Amino acid sequence: MELLYMTTPDIRSPHYFFKKSLNHFKEGQLYYTLQSIDAAIIFSNSSPFYIYQKIRFLYNLDTPENCSNFIVSQLEYLYKHSSLYILCRSIDYLVHLNSYDLNSLASLLACHQIPSCLADYYHAILVQKDKCFFRQAQKALIQDDYTLCLSYCDLYLKLHPVTPKISKLQAYSHHILGHLHTAKKYYLQSLEFEPNNPESYNNIGLISMELGDYDTAICYFQKAATLNPDNLNYQLHLGECYYIARRLADAIHTYENIAQKFPTNLQNYFNLSHTYKKMCKNRLSKRYAKIIQKQLKTPKST
């Protein structure tokens, strides 16, 4: 009796209902085909596969309006949970059913939180091995189209694992767009791959400073400056953060160190003069003001 129970088919198996839907489809039984595939979708932990099978059934059963409506209703879910191939195959069915032009398809995708640039590439994804999304993301970044850059990054990650380069593209784009917390998250993600990358520490410092978290920013600027002590910008950012945090003595210490290492940097002398004036140390402030005047003085023509 126990053996019989163990070999009895599980009537709640999605594969069981999928097989039933195939049999009903072969027999031309539309109602039972859809009823069975719906059951497979309900009981499945991998429903994108069965959703795609339902799209195929609707398409081949010559129910264009129902098929089109169903695909549109599932677009956002498929983008989030299915493979890029299944999504693009579904979009291909949708285009055949509706004859969308490029702009209409792009608008539809955007309405369902899918990168509109996929309208240009969905067909190529089905037939080409090299999808070149990373190169397109870099190109969009160079063209200052940060939203498009993020779209290509999203598509890249549908096909590839996370890399430090893609994380930094996402971080920089979000930073420029003002999405500070999101940008910080991606820079931190890049540091998991490159824990000694001073640029990422510096950028997290800048974001933390923008968020008003000066103590955190100082820690990251210090790390960046330690990893690359020859980078003037990291030192200047550290000094600026000390100044904004009202740690004027630390700011002066940083600026004085910069003056020793980069004696021709005019900005640093402005910082020293201004910070000493803020501390009511007018003699030292005037001293650096004179250095500024000397550097700005135009030589007389002979």
Side-chain angles (χ1 to χ4, degrees), residues 139-163:
K139 181 179 177 181
L141 188 76
I142 292 170
Q143 296 173 340
D144 296 334
D145 194 338
Y146 303 107
T147 300
L148 182 60
C149 176
L150 289 171
S151 293
Y152 282 122
C153 289
D154 288 344
L155 293 174
Y156 175 89
L157 291 170
K158 295 285 285 181
L159 298 169
H160 305 283
V162 178
T163 66

Side-chain angles (χ1 to χ4, degrees), residues 250-292:
D250 289 323
I252 286 294
H253 178 72
T254 303
Y255 292 144
E256 291 284 10
N257 286 338
I258 293 173
Q260 291 180 13
K261 194 162 190 175
F262 303 95
T264 61
N265 185 263
L266 193 60
Q267 177 62 54
N268 188 56
Y269 289 126
F270 275 108
N271 294 339
L272 279 164
S273 179
H274 181 74
T275 306
Y276 274 125
K277 186 175 183 180
K278 191 79 172 177
M279 298 172 72
C280 298
K281 296 185 177 183
N282 293 328
R283 183 181 63 82
L284 289 170
S285 177
K286 290 178 180 178
R287 173 190 169 192
Y288 286 107
K290 288 180 180 179
I291 293 175
I292 294 168

